Amino acid sequence: QVQLAESGGSLVQAGDSLRLSCAASGHSFSDYAMGWFRQAPEKEREFVAAISWSGGSTLYANSVKGRFTISRDNAKNMVYLQMNSLKTGDTAVYYCAARPFTTRSAESEYEFWGQGTQVTVSS
């Protein structure tokens, strides 16, 4: 079992930057690849970014590539999502999720989920 807790969501303006954090507890954090997903109002949850257990491999949705960066600190059991050049279309609840070892973009591949943190980007 892995427990996940996101933080860092906020109301920001378009063009601003924001860093989300996800704290993990429970089973060995370094055994898990971590992903970030988001869900906007009245839309399905979508993949944002993922990072492998070692941090050596990352994966991004095309919509955030070049603006968002995922990273992790296995010593602190933390994963981060640095979001730059935010757009109003990035407004959503952001979730972190865990799955064994390797990166995947499919929501169904992830076993453990946090409760989410709200990011609102105003124009």
Side-chain angles (χ1 to χ4, degrees):
Q1 285 281 348
V2 176
Q3 292 79 45
L4 303 172
E6 304 91 339
S7 62
S10 182
L11 170 63
V12 296
Q13 292 190 327
D16 284 353
S17 296
L18 194 63
R19 189 176 82 157
L20 304 183
S21 299
C22 176
S25 60
H27 192 66
S28 179
F29 177 67
S30 60
D31 287 345
Y32 290 88
M34 300 298 296
W36 284 97
F37 291 76
R38 67 186 181 186
Q39 187 168 20
E42 300 181 359
K43 291 188 177 181
E44 293 187 353
R45 190 154 55 185
E46 64 175 3
F47 171 75
V48 175
I51 188 167
S52 63
W53 65 276
S54 66
S57 176
T58 57
L59 190 63
Y60 293 95
N62 287 335
S63 60
V64 306
K65 200 172 294 183
R67 299 189 298 122
F68 291 10
T69 302
I70 189 170
S71 62
R72 67 188 295 160
D73 185 338
N74 285 349
K76 296 182 178 179
N77 286 7
M78 296 291 295
V79 63
Y80 307 100
L81 186 67
Q82 177 66 42
M83 305 186 293
N84 298 330
S85 303
L86 281 161
K87 305 175 181 179
T88 56
D90 295 319
T91 295
V93 177
Y94 283 72
Y95 299 88
C96 69
R99 70 173 309 280
F101 297 112
T102 55
T103 57
R104 292 287 189 273
S105 61
E107 181 180 347
S108 60
E109 297 272 5
Y110 287 79
E111 297 182 25
F112 305 104
W113 292 82
Q115 293 299 307
T117 186
Q118 176 71 47
V119 173
T120 303
V121 184
S122 65
S123 59

